[in-house]
Amino acid sequence: MAKLIVDGKEIEARDGRTLLPVLRGIGVRIPTLCFHEAVSPYGACRLCLVEVTAGKRTLLAASCMYPVAEGLVVKTASERVIRARRMVAELLLARCPGVPRVREIAGELGVQASRFPQRDERCVLCGLCVRGCAEIAGVHAIDFASRGVYMDLAPPFHRASETCVGCTTCVTLCPTGCLDPLDFRMPPSRHRFSETRPAAGCTLCASESFRSDHGH
Ligand code: FES
């Protein structure tokens, strides 16, 4: 176990964990878009930033990636943290102004509008679908494609995937709802991962339909 100071209070946490679940475990509210406990953290959205002092060094760090260590001093709501999270929220709002979850997070951070040029994306490039496909389904049907402002999520060569099993793990994990289960087999779509494979069905509820009540 490691002792650390969080917002002035000493707590103990198990070595090997990352800060985010530890902070949430003691009731600290931290916004996230790219984190899900079922898959490994990726540090993409930067909403979970906290201020960490380790020895003589203080920095803003993504709490979902930062490992617990003895003697860390963590501030979860300092002025610097709030300012940084608001900036991230503004950038997200500029990219995805029509996505309810993004608007909700921005609103919670006091950001109602963005000063940056607006796009009309629905995907925040959090990569949860990629990690879900690889780590939960074990399929690797999709990945990041292209770079910079052209970055997207797609199957190899932007062709309908031959490995996608239609499990819709990616749809379930997507925080912005930009993946439609029906898109797997029904073009046209940017996220047309598989046109050819039948739905695998849910192993938990035995649903074989993409239109089931639980959204599988
Ligand atoms: S939740 Fe940590 S960077 Fe997205």
Side-chain angles (χ1 to χ4, degrees), residues 4-21:
L4 43 158
I5 310 280
V6 175
D7 295 333
K9 290 193 194 122
E10 186 176 285
I11 65 159
E12 286 200 339
R14 198 160 30 84
D15 284 313
R17 297 187 78 190
T18 51
L19 283 176
L20 179 64

Side-chain angles (χ1 to χ4, degrees), residues 16 18 20-21 24 32-44 63-65 126-140 142 144 167-175:
T18 51
L20 179 64
R24 284 186 165 168
T32 59
L33 266 180
C34 74
F35 178 80
H36 194 290
E37 48 287 329
V39 292
S40 53
Y42 183 57
S63 59
C64 66
M65 300 288 287
C126 71
L128 273 174
C129 55
V130 175
R131 284 172 282 151
C133 186
E135 296 176 24
I136 298 175
V139 172
H140 301 271
I142 47 173
F144 290 101
C167 68
T168 68
T169 300
C170 53
V171 178
T172 307
L173 291 180
C174 177

